[in-house]
Amino acid sequence: MLVEGTPTRSIRSLLEAGARRVEIIDQTRLPHAFVTCVLATPEDAAEAIAVMRVRGAPLIGATAAYGMALAADRDASDAGLRRTGDFLVATRPTAVNLRWGVERMLKQLLARPVSERSPAAWAEAAAICEEDVEQNRAIGRHGLELIRAARRDGVVNVLTHCNAGWLATVDWGTALAPVFAAAEAGIPLHVWVDETRPRNQGASLTAWELAQAGIPHTVIADNAGGHLMQHGRVDLCIVGTDRVAANGDVANKIGTYLKALAAFDNGVPFYVAAPGPSIDFRLAEGGDIPIEERDAEEVARIQGLAPDGSLLSVRLIPAGSACANPAFDVTPARLVSGLITERGVCAASRQALAALFPERA
Ligand code: MRU
């Protein structure tokens, strides 16, 4: 997508003084500063995932794949690669794309002689990124038809939660890919952007992406969605996912479940954009999905722009109060109108997923 008019991806490989490196956008600095940084080691990749310089299920899968490529340049032995894979997978538990990316890299690399592993690793990580872009482009095409169908008269109002735009993937995004496609197709759109406490991915990242693309949007407090739905001001919800279980239950950013309940109660279609690598056929149902518990400080504090232009983190709650920070929740399949995959839109059910991905089910 374009940043100030320049085509930009969220991750890329580059050569620095003859050494292969990985460049990412430091998403902890957005929307106030667009800053890139370079990952030189697998430990850099793990740190970037853990502190959320990169985040979003598909992007952490791609970053882990490049982390494996950085590892292959240093120690391409079976033990070395397995060790790196283990600590990368341990960084964040909910998005299955992370494990998927590492397992795919290990499968490719361990089957080759050690001498061939480094070039193969960079090629495989690049292939994962290209596939991600094509999957998201296809999700955009399929989701565009849902937006078209939801149009009554005038502007279509889409509500989204967290950031499932291009910053959460290599390019295009998942939940926002249909929005970008609809805007390109000339459909008049407006997006309600949940701020998405505690880390504010909606207010910081989704709003920034939509502003860059010139798409009308309004940031709302997380609790506003139900009210807007009751008053007919939301035509459809589209969110992303970190993991879809085999029965169609969906894990996504904390707060998604409440939006799905409100949508169900108000007859608002609730779609989940889910690329193949986010579907976990090994897990029978959503209750089995591990939910990341993050540092309570993310709830206790908030980061913003200080008057002098620096980033400032301030405390919100009394010093003695405890905080809890479950980072994801699970929306049961019965509340999901459909899954938008690269292979088309299907019901959130075991049968429909198995019919669309027979080779994996
Ligand atoms: O904690 P985050 O910012 O990594 O959570 C991201 C989400 O919950 C996204 O909705 C999900 O990963 C889908 S991204 C295309």
Side-chain angles (χ1 to χ4, degrees):
M1 302 297 286
L2 299 178
V3 176
E4 305 294 343
T6 305
T8 308
R9 284 186 173 183
S10 61
I11 190 165
R12 67 181 182 121
S13 64
L14 50 75
L15 279 179
E16 209 178 57
R20 276 179 292 227
R21 302 284 184 244
V22 180
E23 188 185 63
I24 58 163
I25 299 166
D26 184 350
Q27 298 190 22
T28 63
R29 307 288 301 278
L30 285 170
H32 306 298
F34 182 84
V35 177
T36 58
C37 55
V38 170
L39 312 178
T41 65
E43 290 75 19
D44 290 346
E47 189 266 355
I49 295 169
V51 307
M52 296 175 62
R53 295 185 207 290
V54 288
R55 27 68 51 205
L59 180 57
I60 61 180
T63 307
Y66 273 123
M68 294 298 289
L70 290 164
D73 278 358
R74 193 171 67 188
D75 170 10
S77 67
D78 287 19
L81 292 174
R82 286 209 169 93
R83 204 168 34 245
T84 300
D86 286 347
F87 74 69
L88 285 167
V89 167
T91 51
R92 295 195 75 190
T94 303
V96 71
N97 308 60
L98 184 51
R99 191 191 71 204
W100 172 88
V102 167
E103 284 182 355
R104 175 162 155 177
M105 294 294 287
L106 283 174
K107 189 168 172 210
Q108 280 295 321
L109 301 183
L110 298 182
R112 295 171 186 272
V114 172
S115 61
E116 291 176 12
R117 289 179 179 177
S118 161
W122 288 94
E124 191 65 13
I128 285 174
C129 290
E130 291 310 317
E131 286 169 30
D132 176 74
V133 176
E134 288 319 309
Q135 282 156 359
N136 299 335
R137 209 192 299 274
I139 284 173
R141 274 199 310 275
H142 299 304
L144 161 62
E145 297 313 319
L146 298 173
I147 292 179
R148 220 191 279 282
R151 188 173 176 195
R152 290 174 291 185
D153 35 41
V155 172
V156 187
N157 283 290
V158 179
L159 183 142
T160 193
H161 190 68
C162 195
N163 171 261
W166 68 268
L167 288 166
T169 64
V170 177
D171 207 351
W172 277 96
T174 59
L176 287 195
V179 168
F180 293 129
E184 256 181 37
I187 296 174
L189 276 173
H190 166 261
V191 184
W192 296 111
V193 179
D194 283 352
E195 61 176 348
T196 320
R197 275 284 286 153
R199 290 190 62 117
N200 290 318
Q201 291 94 328
S204 303
L205 306 176
T206 301
W208 181 80
E209 283 188 21
L210 293 170
Q212 290 289 325
I215 297 174
H217 60 282
T218 305
V219 178
I220 50 175
D222 286 324
N223 297 326
H227 165 77
L228 294 171
M229 291 185 219
Q230 281 177 326
H231 288 80
R233 297 176 69 190
V234 180
D235 295 305
L236 79 165
C237 302
I238 312 180
V239 300
T241 179
D242 292 83
R243 190 183 308 221
V244 180
N247 70 342
D249 291 346
V250 168
N252 193 47
K253 180 52 56 192
I254 193 79
T256 302
Y257 170 49
L258 290 177
K259 294 301 137 65
L261 282 171
F264 190 77
D265 195 43
N266 289 283
V268 174
F270 187 91
Y271 287 100
V272 178
S278 302
I279 304 168
D280 187 353
F281 285 98
R282 296 186 210 172
L283 279 196
E285 52 186 51
D288 301 334
I289 298 174
I291 300 295
E292 179 179 12
E293 191 74 37
R294 289 188 64 84
D295 191 338
E297 284 295 291
E298 292 181 349
V299 175
R301 309 186 70 83
I302 198 159
Q303 174 175 289
L305 197 61
D308 68 358
S310 63
L311 285 184
L312 186 66
S313 168
V314 295
R315 189 169 179 87
L316 292 171
I317 65 156
S321 298
C323 288
N325 189 10
F328 298 93
D329 60 24
V330 174
T331 298
R334 69 186 162 80
L335 300 178
V336 177
S337 309
L339 301 171
I340 314 171
T341 79
E342 66 274 27
R343 297 189 184 178
V345 180
C346 73
S349 73
R350 192 180 309 279
Q351 296 82 340
L353 278 170
L356 217 49
F357 295 89
E359 78 288 2
R360 293 182 57 208

